[in-house]
Amino acid sequence: MADLSVSFCGIKAPNPFWLASAPPTDKAYNVERAFRAGWGGVVWKTLGEDGPPIVNVSGPRYDAWHGPDRRVLGFTNIELITDRPLETNLQEIAQVKRNWPDRALFVSLMVPCVEEAWQAILPRVEATGCDGVELNFGCPHGMSERGMGAAVGQVPEYIEMVTRWCKAHTRMPVLVKLTPNVTDIRHAARASLKGGADAVSLINTVSSVMGVDLDTMTPRPPVDGLGTHGGYCGPSVKPIALNMVGNIARDPATQKLPISGIGGITTWRDAAEYMVLGCGTVQVCTAAMVYGFKIIDELKSGLDSWMAQKGYRSLADFVGRAVPRFTEWQHLNLDYVAKARIDQDLCIKCGRCHIACEDTSHQAITREKDGKRHFEVIDAECVGCNLCTVVCPVENCITLVALTEGRDPRTGSELGGHRTWMEHPNNPARA
């Protein structure tokens, strides 16, 4: 078996699969069940300062975007940070850590943006024996309106300032949880590093409205006739998260900054994709809420099998291996040519490829041959856009084949020059 153990910010855990700060980590009962099931770590649901109690709405707090088979594709919540007393949480954190010394236990924190508030809470959290803290600079609803969460995470100067405060007032590792509700995630990551962060975690939820009830004219989820924006997560945010993770991992300013990946991780393959783009650990929330804690068995066994198949003995063998291949568009090879190919034995003659190409792309697929329904690619018109592959309902019926020799049927030019846009004669920068 492959070694799934991990050391992240100096904290060891039996595997890289952690539960993200969210309802599944709101109390000792849940976290104990998670550890018994086999999760390598958790980030305790966000704690706030002593003071007026947090009051969450009572029904509904969650909503979902379902696929045709009722599978959850996206998930939203309008829940705030923990509404349980701070002291109760601290006592439970201490007990759980005593019971499970081999598991990673970080605590998410969010308090007002003044140094005294952070200085007050950090020693109390550190006294629990937990392994570290995660600064919640990402929550896009409820708390951000109070000057916390994403209100901090959207201002790099605030990120750096608060992170620096925390590093001054605790010896624990400090993770900074980043909001995706920004134009360029690299600025937030750089600010975290300047403030002394030991690592970053991302992404937090995307600000969103799940939908609108057209009978009541109320945004979903509705609360007594009104709706508000919430935090969107689940499988459909994974592409957004991977892009942001990869941008941090390949940025020369932050490429050595440890990353904990979050966003739509449901399978071992999802986790592996995050890890090859630079993540040392991954955090799961929506999948656990939908399928329960036992999905950890499939996550661990799947990753183990893949590692064995590839000959990877430890996580270090593949973490970050895809980063060198993640580049800017201007560096792509403009001489690379691929054409679609249709497997006639698999083709069910539905015609979706032809309609999509004929109506919206390059008119590169025929629909008839010898008076019969037949779909075939016209090489001279095909630009390898991949639309036909995407819309085909039969897996592997249509594939793209790279043409590495000869001439481009569209232009007659020789192939294989490896010319990029930076080298292209039409690039204005070369004028």
Side-chain angles (χ1 to χ4, degrees):
M1 295 182 65
D3 180 10
L4 298 185
S5 64
V6 63
S7 178
F8 189 74
C9 298
I11 305 304
K12 295 181 179 179
N15 63 67
F17 299 108
W18 298 5
L19 287 171
S21 167
T25 63
D26 190 33
K27 59 177 74 73
Y29 178 85
N30 303 75
V31 175
E32 291 269 2
R33 284 178 61 85
F35 283 161
R36 284 197 296 271
W39 291 84
V42 303
V43 181
W44 202 277
K45 183 173 169 67
T46 307
L47 309 183
E49 64 179 352
D50 279 325
I54 294 292
V55 180
N56 274 292
V57 297
S58 177
R61 301 178 187 180
Y62 312 136
D63 206 337
W65 172 33
H66 292 98
D69 58 358
R70 287 288 294 175
R71 184 165 57 94
V72 173
L73 304 178
F75 191 86
T76 194
N77 84 90
I78 58 171
E79 187 167 292
L80 304 181
I81 65 175
T82 183
D83 51 15
R84 305 168 67 237
L86 175 60
E87 188 56 38
T88 299
N89 276 293
L90 295 176
Q91 291 174 5
E92 291 185 1
I93 291 167
Q95 185 59 55
V96 169
K97 187 58 189 177
R98 284 195 295 269
N99 293 346
W100 299 90
D102 68 325
R103 308 302 170 93
L105 201 169
F106 279 68
V107 177
S108 178
L109 297 178
M110 183 193 296
V111 296
C113 197
V114 293
E115 185 172 5
E116 291 76 14
W118 292 97
Q119 186 177 5
I121 197 170
L122 283 165
R124 298 178 66 181
V125 174
E126 187 169 336
T128 67
C130 70
D131 296 305
V133 292
E134 182 182 79
L135 312 185
N136 186 343
F137 294 161
C139 186
H141 59 274
M143 305 307 295
S144 56
E145 290 88 333
R146 310 177 195 194
M148 295 179 276
V152 176
Q154 290 170 332
V155 183
E157 293 80 5
Y158 291 173
I159 294 174
E160 179 182 351
M161 177 179 67
V162 178
T163 304
R164 195 179 304 279
W165 291 343
C166 292
K167 288 298 295 180
H169 296 299
T170 184
R171 295 170 297 175
M172 297 182 291
V174 173
L175 277 64
V176 176
K177 190 172 187 179
L178 304 180
T179 176
N181 302 296
V182 295
T183 304
D184 190 338
I185 196 68
R186 293 174 299 177
H187 298 308
R190 293 168 187 168
S192 301
L193 187 60
K194 287 181 181 178
D198 297 279
V200 292
S201 57
L202 69 156
I203 59 175
N204 207 310
T205 53
V206 180
S207 186
S208 58
V209 171
M210 181 57 73
V212 180
D213 187 320
L214 295 179
D215 292 321
T216 65
M217 297 298 172
T218 308
R220 295 171 28 212
V223 180
D224 194 25
L226 296 175
T228 186
H229 72 282
Y232 188 65
C233 54
S236 56
V237 308
K238 175 185 160 190
I240 300 170
L242 286 175
N243 175 56
M244 292 187 170
V245 161
N247 277 327
I248 292 173
R250 69 191 177 102
D251 181 6
T254 56
Q255 60 186 3
K256 294 184 179 181
L257 183 64
I259 305 172
S260 185
I262 313 169
I265 297 165
T266 305
T267 69
W268 70 266
R269 184 177 294 275
D270 297 329
E273 290 177 20
Y274 273 88
M275 298 180 79
V276 298
L277 273 179
C279 294
T281 64
V282 292
Q283 297 183 32
V284 179
C285 174
T286 302
M289 294 180 73
V290 173
Y291 302 111
F293 288 154
K294 292 298 289 181
I295 63 166
I296 187 61
D297 292 337
E298 296 180 14
L299 294 173
K300 291 193 299 183
S301 64
L303 186 62
D304 178 83
S305 297
W306 175 74
M307 289 174 63
Q309 178 186 1
K310 295 293 185 180
Y312 299 136
R313 295 179 178 273
S314 69
L315 304 182
D317 290 341
F318 64 89
V319 167
R321 291 197 64 167
V323 175
R325 293 179 177 268
F326 185 28
T327 188
E328 300 292 342
W329 188 96
Q330 63 189 7
H331 299 306
L332 299 180
N333 178 14
L334 297 185
D335 282 335
Y336 176 81
V337 174
K339 304 291 182 182
R341 293 289 181 264
I342 301 174
D343 187 327
Q344 298 301 328
D345 292 331
L346 293 177
C347 181
I348 61 174
K349 308 297 188 291
C350 69
R352 289 180 62 182
C353 61
H354 167 76
I355 289 297
C357 188
E358 192 73 15
D359 285 355
T360 69
S361 289
H362 300 90
Q363 298 77 53
I365 298 178
T366 64
R367 66 174 180 179
E368 190 174 299
K369 183 178 182 180
D370 299 329
K372 296 181 179 179
R373 193 173 176 83
H374 180 85
F375 301 96
E376 197 165 313
V377 176
I378 305 169
D379 270 5
E381 303 299 333
C382 178
V383 301
C385 72
N386 208 41
L387 177 62
C388 56
T389 304
V390 171
V391 303
C392 179
V394 180
E395 189 174 6
N396 296 323
C397 176
I398 305 179
T399 55
L400 286 188
V401 176
L403 305 182
T404 56
E405 298 178 353
R407 294 179 180 274
D408 182 346
R410 294 170 294 138
T411 65
S413 64
E414 292 286 343
L415 301 179
H418 300 288
R419 181 178 55 184
T420 69
W421 175 242
M422 298 300 291
E423 305 164 320
H424 199 282
N426 290 341
N427 183 355
R430 291 175 56 85

